[in-house]
Amino acid sequence: MDAEEDRQRGLELGRRWAEHASAHELATMVSGSFDDLSQILPSDTSDHFVGGFREGVLRVWRRA
């Protein structure tokens, strides 16, 4: 999988996760750094996926 596909997959999964997360879970993910998210998500996820996931969560958080 190339980097852009991996980022897009992370973006979509981050958005879906955030839409169903509690306010506390959402705040925890938004306040965490990239490194924090890398430790929370499975170890085999790429940096591109983590970046996309974080971006997806932030988009939902900003709309809330």
Side-chain angles (χ1 to χ4, degrees), residues 1-12 46-53 55 59:
M1 184 176 298
D2 75 357
E4 184 56 26
E5 287 178 8
D6 213 19
R7 189 187 77 75
Q8 286 297 326
R9 193 170 67 95
L11 183 69
E12 177 63 20
S46 72
D47 287 350
H48 300 287
F49 179 90
V50 174
F53 187 91
E55 183 180 341
R59 286 182 182 182

Side-chain angles (χ1 to χ4, degrees), residues 4-62:
E4 184 56 26
E5 287 178 8
D6 213 19
R7 189 187 77 75
Q8 286 297 326
R9 193 170 67 95
L11 183 69
E12 177 63 20
L13 290 175
R15 182 189 60 78
R16 281 196 262 158
W17 177 87
E19 288 174 345
H20 300 286
S22 70
H24 175 74
E25 291 170 328
L26 198 52
T28 299
M29 291 299 252
V30 167
S31 66
S33 69
F34 183 89
D35 290 335
D36 293 338
L37 287 180
S38 294
Q39 292 177 357
I40 293 169
L41 294 171
S43 61
D44 63 344
T45 57
S46 72
D47 287 350
H48 300 287
F49 179 90
V50 174
F53 187 91
R54 187 165 195 259
E55 183 180 341
V57 170
L58 286 170
R59 286 182 182 182
V60 171
W61 179 73
R62 287 179 184 136

